[in-house]
């Protein structure tokens, strides 16, 4: 959602979590974890305990997409002008 809001559905109700002030540009999730990126360059991770901000990149790194990794491939975050960040396990 706009203004850094992520909505979660538990099968009965929707809950709202605000990750920051900038819009969330992309989100990827599997059963146990999720990654979200804001258009301003913040990367967030969700684990069982909730959301945490992993890193806030310097201005000018507008992020566009995120992909969860596996044991054989890294997590990827893609931004403008060919910017790619990866995190290996």
């Amino acid at each position: 959602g706009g203004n850094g809001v992520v909505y979660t559905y538990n099968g009965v109700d929707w809950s709202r979590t605000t990750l920051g002030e900038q819009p969330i540009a992309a989100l990827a999730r599997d059963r146990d974890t999720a990654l979200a990126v804001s258009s301003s360059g913040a990367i967030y991770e969700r684990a069982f305990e909730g959301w945490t901000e992993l890193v806030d990149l310097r201005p000018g790194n507008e992020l566009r997409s995120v992909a969860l990794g596996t044991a054989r491939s890294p997590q990827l975050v893609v931004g403008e002008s060919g910017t790619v960040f990866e995190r290996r396990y």
Side-chain angles (χ1 to χ4, degrees), residues 1-72:
N3 298 328
V5 175
V6 174
Y7 295 94
T8 306
Y9 185 66
N10 66 5
V12 178
D13 296 313
W14 286 93
S15 62
R16 172 187 169 127
T17 303
T18 302
L19 301 181
E21 296 179 4
Q22 298 300 316
I24 300 301
L27 186 137
R29 92 175 258 288
D30 64 13
R31 183 178 193 119
D32 300 318
T33 189
L35 285 177
V37 295
S38 74
S39 58
S40 66
I43 302 173
Y44 303 94
E45 181 175 43
R46 185 181 187 280
F48 183 76
E49 304 83 34
W51 288 96
T52 57
E53 185 173 343
L54 294 179
V55 67
D56 192 358
L57 304 172
R58 65 186 179 276
N61 285 310
E62 190 166 328
L63 302 178
R64 301 282 187 197
S65 185
V66 63
L68 294 175
T70 65
R72 302 183 92 192

